Amino acid sequence: MSELLNPEPKVIAFLCKWCSSNAADLAGVSRMKYPANVITIETPCSGRVDPTYIFDALSNGADGVIVAGCHPGECHYITGNYKTLKRMVLVKELAEQMGIEDERIHLEWISSSEAKKFVKTMTEFIEKLKHLPPNPLRNNRVAQEAKH
Amino acid sequence: MSQKKKTREPEEAKRLGVFVCHCGKNIAATVDVENIAKEVTNLHGVVHATDSHYLCSEPGQKALQDDIKYHRLDGIICACCSPTLHEETFRKAASDVGVNKYEVEIANIREKCSWVHSDREEATEKAMKIIETKVEKALLNEALTPISVDVNRNAMVVGAGITGIQAALDLANSGYHVYLIEQSPTIGGHMAQLSSTFPTLDCSQCILSPKMSEIAHHDNVELITNAKLTGVTGFVGNFNAKVTKKPKFVIEELCNLCDDCVTVCPVIVPNDFEGGLGPRKAIYLPFPQAVPSAYVLDIENCLGIHPLVCSKCRDACEQNAINYDMKEEIVELDVGAIVIATGYDLYDISKISEYDFGPEVDVIDGLQFERLLSSAGPTGGEVLRPSDHKKPETVVFVQCVGSRDPEHHMAYCSKICCTYTGKHALLLKDQEPDTEVYIFYIDIRAAGRGYEEFIDRAQEMGVVYIRGKPSKIFRDGDKTIIWAANTLTGERLEVEADLVVLAPAMIPSFDTKVLSGVTKCSLDEYGFFKEAHVKLKPVESLVQGLFVAGAALSPKDIPECVSQGSAAASKAIALLSKPQLYHDPIVALVNEQACSGCKVCQSLCPYGAISFDSVKNISVVKEILCQGCGTCASACPSQALTLKNQTDKQIENMIRIALKTEAK
Ligand SMILES: Cc1cc2nc3c(=O)[nH]c(=O)nc-3n(C[C@H](O)[C@H](O)[C@H](O)COP(=O)(O)OP(=O)(O)OC[C@H]3O[C@@H](n4cnc5c(N)ncnc54)[C@H](O)[C@@H]3O)c2cc1C
Ligand code: SF4
Ligand code: SF4
Ligand code: FES
């Protein structure tokens, strides 16, 4: 394993309330465990996640962002997640241009019964971030805060 | 007082209350609830915070209401369990004392915090963050009023096995018009194939056919057979359902069941209703009690519906009931509620390579055995082996075929096979007491009133139960050999049988995945339809107005299917009984000044809820159609679209606060 560069990474996870948020609840009901480094924000659909939110999170100091929604074909709003899928490609491209590693942004389809997958996704993502340096955009935030 | 609230000025003036629940020890064991309740009072906008042992209890709710009144709160944050459990509870409690229900937020610090973390300090810190994000959201929440819509008072039931029949009858007898959609030419489902039913052993057809005939003659039921639900648009109370009807080539009203067509039809194929153990023609009556009571032409096996090819049946029909020009038809039906009752299928035994299977090797499944037991079946109710029509002297039953085998097949228990195998053995012993009967089982699971006694009876009659699962079943000459190990004695066994009957896993009916795509009703890990809550909402789906019942949800016996059919009907009735229903006001809103008229949003909305006002040159949201997904809001290039109470500003503030590091 590579070096531990960021022992306590911060993660924002956008969870679709129909699937992934229920998977997170089920993980709780099943008393599964995962690191506490993630704060979740529930949205009606993964399609509600505006690309700007992801950059907002990164520039506010998140080391990684997860967007989780229903499996393709299972979006509660029929096609919302297909739009998410397309957007995430663009988001990643843009991130790359800004010097943000591709690995910091993660899209996952997690249905409401996939508590294990939820826990695995969170655990592995956080573990991965520990071996990346803190998010380079963090400094922007520090600069911003200094201005205020 | 509430008057005053409505005219309240900007966010600054908002008075929020935070209620942190211990949930007994469920939250308090890992989260320092009392300390959090103290700390949150420092947050902007929070004028009152307290903790509660059980916020959802009557005294808990009462205290919450008193605090709302005393502190003149405009909005509250309940830090407790998942919103799927108590959001409605607290919304109701708060709105009873004048707080708009859309000003109630849930901070889930149980499922998403105390139950998944063990370090008290970390969990407490995280719970605090979760609450802070919700406070940020609550600061900008608006008081909203639900949008009212008229309810279409017709219902649709998809699948006409015993579950769907029961649901349709309950709806129809309560005065609602029901469209009952069945894919096969007749209603009845699997129950129609059963001989007699455990534990009372009453004849299946005798208890089913009165219900089938009630369906046939009910003024409120419109039966559509040979048909499938192929499209659903709209929303609760106002669905538009597309039903595709396959042609039957026989005009039901004219057919007088004379059987003349069958006599002349030259095609003989295995009869699927008999599990292939008997023959039928290409034009046939599925079974004598079939509803609708009319012949059907099986186009896949017919020589060709062209006068030049055959046309014998049409020429023979004196009623002129046969029409070769029938075409597939699509009808659109408007309904307020839909019940799905599409039942089950049996696991495909060809996937179990260790077992030979098929009538030619005298290895059959439970449903085929039901046909052998049935007096209307291919052998007139006498158990004869399919290969040579001889009476079997040794019969072996195997339970859990494809069930309870997470590595290779289905992980779950099919729940009813122990009992129906006991029934099979009992009925066989009743018929031929000298038959040697062996049952291979893993465990006997016969829970239910009268079920255990039923298994005991089989044992008393001399049925031998052997604990163990056969490792191989194969043909040798005119016998079928079973290799197994008795797991109680450790002894290896080889049994020579004349007939082997397998109890395959019950699996979702083959079209379930397609129907899930059509209705948006989600599936569980095994592909069965999934209920909204396994304990508390057993027949509701996550799609409002869509209900699911019977074996379509999981393996079940008839009594359970009937109760679920009735339960789904009563849920649908509760919905249809009101002339109007209230639509969630969390909908999209266009800022007229900011909209550039680019129409990007229109093509994105899956519900066609966005139209264009060509006079003002802006997009307009039809609130009734909008389901509040927010996809449009996150795509609008002019940031003219927003989702009420889920605005960009709210989400951005939540992100910011979630990432803020405490200056310690
Ligand atoms: C061998 C065996 C013996 C049994 N013995 C007993 C017993 O003794 N006692 C007992 O209580 N239970 C018994 N059962 C269980 C019993 O069969 C079921 O509990 C019951 O039949 C399930 O009813 P259902 O209506 O939910 O499903 P089904 O009977 O499967 O009916 C579903 C209906 O929906 C239709 N359908 C499917 N998909 C679609 C679609 N996409 N569009 C339209 N229609 C569709 C099907 O054609 C079918 O008519 C036995 C089961 C087996 C396998
Ligand atoms: S996407 Fe935005 S700007 Fe374009 S039409 Fe829709 S609301 Fe107006
Ligand atoms: S939020 Fe927008 S895209 Fe979603 S249903 Fe409403 S109008 Fe359509
Ligand atoms: S509703 Fe879950 S991704 Fe759209």
Side-chain angles (χ1 to χ4, degrees):
Chain A
M1 243 299 158
S2 58
E3 216 185 322
L4 199 63
L5 297 170
N6 185 11
E8 290 299 337
K10 290 182 171 190
V11 174
I12 293 284
F14 294 99
L15 307 182
C16 147
K17 80 165 183 186
W18 296 98
C19 305
S20 317
S21 175
N22 284 328
D25 281 359
L26 185 60
V29 173
S30 321
R31 308 297 197 278
M32 297 173 178
K33 301 281 180 255
Y34 54 91
N37 309 44
V38 52
I39 300 290
T40 63
I41 294 180
E42 289 73 26
T43 57
C45 170
S46 66
R48 176 68 186 109
V49 182
D50 191 316
T52 59
Y53 302 163
I54 296 169
F55 293 108
D56 265 348
L58 291 167
S59 59
N60 274 293
D63 294 298
V65 178
I66 289 185
V67 177
C70 314
H71 284 264
E74 288 174 13
C75 172
H76 185 76
Y77 305 99
I78 311 171
T79 50
N81 52 3
Y82 288 113
K83 277 145 209 162
T84 311
L85 187 61
K86 280 199 213 149
R87 275 179 202 158
M88 290 300 279
V89 176
L90 299 177
V91 165
K92 288 198 163 199
E93 273 173 23
L94 197 60
E96 217 183 304
Q97 288 169 20
M98 295 167 69
I100 304 166
E101 302 89 326
D102 171 66
E103 297 120 289
R104 295 192 190 274
I105 304 168
H106 186 75
L107 172 67
E108 193 73 58
W109 308 130
I110 308 177
S111 80
S112 53
S113 57
E114 292 177 323
K116 273 193 213 143
K117 184 170 182 188
F118 177 82
V119 169
K120 188 164 176 273
T121 306
M122 296 302 147
T123 313
E124 290 180 357
F125 189 61
I126 291 167
E127 194 50 41
K128 187 170 69 185
L129 292 176
K130 287 185 182 173
H131 300 276
L132 289 180
N135 162 22
L137 290 193
R138 245 198 216 185
N139 302 335
N140 289 10
R141 180 187 59 105
V142 178
Q144 263 175 19
E145 273 185 6
K147 256 195 273 167
H148 283 292
Chain B
M1 192 175 73
S2 62
Q3 230 41 14
K4 215 171 104 201
K5 237 171 251 160
K6 280 196 188 103
T7 55
R8 166 174 53 74
E9 285 302 310
E11 59 185 272
E12 306 310 322
K14 201 163 205 175
R15 300 174 62 83
L16 296 177
V18 179
F19 299 84
V20 193
C21 184
H22 290 246
C23 192
K25 282 239 158 280
N26 282 305
I27 294 172
T30 27
V31 170
D32 187 348
V33 171
E34 279 156 24
N35 200 33
I36 284 192
K38 277 194 211 109
E39 296 245 325
V40 284
T41 45
N42 299 327
L43 299 179
H44 172 59
V46 176
V47 296
H48 171 70
T50 185
D51 57 328
S52 164
H53 275 279
Y54 285 106
L55 193 58
C56 60
S57 67
E58 281 299 320
Q61 291 188 49
K62 173 79 179 34
L64 176 123
Q65 291 181 320
D66 290 345
D67 281 357
I68 289 176
K69 285 189 278 189
Y70 185 81
H71 295 280
R72 293 177 289 114
L73 302 178
D74 311 303
I76 61 167
I77 293 95
C78 299
C80 53
C81 55
S82 166
T84 53
L85 296 169
H86 281 305
E87 184 168 57
E88 275 313 312
T89 315
F90 299 133
R91 280 179 162 184
K92 171 90 179 41
S95 65
D96 284 350
V97 288
V99 171
N100 182 279
K101 69 183 236 192
Y102 299 96
E103 302 256 24
V104 175
E105 284 296 330
I106 303 287
N108 181 354
I109 58 167
R110 194 179 75 174
E111 285 83 348
K112 291 203 175 99
C113 188
S114 72
W115 277 352
V116 287
H117 306 308
S118 348
D119 183 287
R120 191 168 168 87
E121 200 179 315
E122 274 179 9
T124 305
E125 202 179 307
K126 177 168 167 183
M128 187 67 196
K129 280 277 176 228
I130 297 175
I131 297 170
E132 282 180 78
T133 60
K134 294 297 174 152
V135 169
E136 281 298 327
K137 177 166 189 293
L139 277 171
L140 294 180
N141 273 346
E142 264 182 85
L144 302 173
T145 322
I147 306 152
S148 71
V149 223
D150 290 342
V151 174
N152 179 307
R153 307 184 93 174
N154 298 334
M156 173 172 286
V157 176
V158 184
I162 184 60
T163 309
I165 290 177
Q166 186 63 43
L169 286 178
D170 284 0
L171 278 156
N173 288 330
S174 308
Y176 297 95
H177 187 79
V178 187
Y179 301 103
L180 178 56
I181 314 299
E182 167 59 48
Q183 68 174 5
S184 61
T186 172
I187 65 172
H190 286 103
M191 189 175 168
Q193 284 176 289
L194 304 182
S195 56
S196 42
T197 53
F198 62 71
T200 45
L201 295 185
D202 24 10
C203 134
S204 190
Q205 272 297 349
C206 315
I207 53 176
L208 176 64
S209 54
K211 284 189 187 282
M212 290 174 57
S213 111
E214 194 181 345
I215 291 278
H217 299 114
H218 209 299
D219 286 341
N220 280 341
V221 179
E222 193 169 325
L223 177 60
I224 307 177
T225 51
N226 246 20
K228 275 188 185 176
L229 179 61
T230 46
V232 179
T233 55
F235 51 91
V236 54
N238 294 276
F239 293 110
N240 177 267
K242 209 190 274 170
V243 173
T244 307
K245 296 204 264 183
K246 278 190 290 173
K248 294 181 195 168
F249 304 103
V250 177
I251 303 163
E252 276 164 34
E253 303 76 56
L254 294 181
C255 172
N256 67 1
L257 308 174
C258 66
D259 214 43
D260 289 350
C261 53
V262 173
T263 319
V264 297
C265 176
V267 180
I268 297 178
V269 289
N271 188 344
D272 31 8
F273 182 76
E274 304 293 0
L277 298 182
R280 71 157 164 80
K281 295 291 186 70
I283 190 161
Y284 67 105
L285 184 65
F287 54 91
Q289 300 87 342
V291 167
S293 166
Y295 284 61
V296 257
L297 190 149
D298 157 15
I299 190 67
E300 261 150 50
N301 288 301
C302 167
L303 292 179
I305 41 168
H306 195 281
L308 288 179
V309 188
C310 175
S311 90
K312 286 201 169 63
C313 57
R314 192 183 61 179
D315 300 341
C317 180
E318 286 180 5
Q319 288 290 106
N320 288 328
I322 299 173
N323 175 359
Y324 292 159
D325 298 327
M326 283 188 182
K327 295 266 174 324
E328 185 173 282
E329 225 186 301
I330 295 178
V331 288
E332 287 195 27
L333 303 167
D334 291 329
V335 296
I338 301 176
V339 176
I340 296 196
T342 46
Y344 69 97
D345 276 331
L346 292 185
Y347 192 65
D348 177 6
I349 295 170
S350 68
K351 288 189 189 158
I352 306 179
S353 54
E354 312 87 79
Y355 293 1
D356 273 359
F357 179 67
E360 62 295 342
V361 291
D362 294 318
V363 183
I364 60 176
D365 66 30
L367 282 174
Q368 289 172 314
F369 194 69
E370 292 284 341
R371 298 314 301 153
L372 290 184
L373 286 170
S374 168
S375 51
T379 55
E382 200 180 348
V383 175
L384 300 176
R385 48 185 231 158
S387 67
D388 55 10
H389 297 273
K390 282 198 193 131
K391 264 205 178 117
E393 283 164 18
T394 307
V395 179
V396 168
F397 293 89
V398 182
Q399 297 186 176
C400 294
V401 175
S403 297
R404 302 181 61 196
D405 187 348
E407 264 129 65
H408 308 101
H409 307 290
M410 302 319 240
Y412 55 86
C413 162
S414 292
K415 195 173 170 182
I416 63 162
C417 322
C418 288
T419 319
Y420 79 60
T421 304
K423 169 185 81 174
H424 287 166
L426 200 73
L427 291 170
L428 176 61
K429 274 286 195 188
D430 227 19
Q431 196 178 95
E432 278 300 328
D434 293 336
T435 316
E436 271 184 56
V437 180
Y438 299 94
I439 298 181
F440 284 96
Y441 70 101
I442 305 183
D443 296 294
I444 299 293
R445 297 179 166 178
R449 195 206 290 163
Y451 289 15
E452 179 70 21
E453 296 89 317
F454 192 72
I455 303 288
D456 290 344
R457 240 169 83 202
Q459 279 172 315
E460 276 159 27
M461 287 184 79
V463 173
V464 181
Y465 275 83
I466 303 172
R467 189 163 188 277
K469 199 167 173 177
S471 55
K472 199 168 169 62
I473 298 175
F474 60 98
R475 189 68 162 183
D476 186 16
D478 73 338
K479 297 279 184 192
T480 301
I481 313 294
I482 295 100
W483 283 353
N486 183 330
T487 56
L488 292 180
T489 61
E491 159 197 25
R492 283 175 177 281
L493 295 171
E494 178 176 301
V495 183
E496 249 184 32
D498 298 306
L499 178 64
V500 178
V501 185
L502 309 178
M506 287 168 87
I507 58 167
S509 59
F510 75 100
D511 220 20
T512 303
K513 199 156 173 107
V514 175
L515 199 56
S516 151
V518 167
T519 57
K520 297 292 151 227
C521 178
S522 46
L523 304 178
D524 72 6
E525 56 193 306
Y526 306 117
F528 284 104
F529 282 112
K530 194 173 166 197
E531 58 286 88
H533 190 285
V534 66
K535 291 165 209 163
L536 304 177
K537 293 183 175 173
V539 294
E540 280 149 272
S541 77
L542 284 176
V543 183
Q544 280 187 60
L546 188 81
F547 306 94
V548 196
L553 284 166
S554 63
K556 286 189 180 65
D557 61 12
I558 296 163
E560 265 191 287
C561 285
V562 172
S563 343
Q564 285 213 327
S566 286
S570 75
K571 285 284 170 193
I573 292 166
L575 170 72
L576 302 179
S577 62
K578 292 178 229 139
Q580 290 209 306
L581 98 155
Y582 294 92
H583 184 70
D584 206 31
I586 311 277
V587 291
L589 180 72
V590 178
N591 173 340
E592 298 197 0
Q593 274 75 46
C595 172
S596 67
C598 71
K599 299 192 188 174
V600 161
C601 52
Q602 275 187 41
S603 61
L604 284 177
C605 177
Y607 303 96
I610 306 180
S611 56
F612 200 70
D613 179 339
S614 47
V615 178
K616 290 190 186 159
N617 204 29
I618 53 164
S619 282
V620 186
V621 175
K622 277 205 203 91
E623 296 199 332
I624 289 294
L625 292 179
C626 172
Q627 298 297 299
C629 67
T631 306
C632 58
S634 51
C636 171
S638 314
Q639 286 173 338
L641 262 164
T642 191
L643 192 63
K644 289 183 184 170
N645 284 1
Q646 276 271 347
T647 61
D648 286 346
K649 189 97 191 88
Q650 283 177 303
I651 300 180
E652 284 158 12
N653 287 352
M654 288 166 81
I655 296 171
R656 189 183 35 74
I657 205 81
L659 291 165
K660 201 168 144 203
T661 5
E662 249 53 65
K664 271 192 190 153

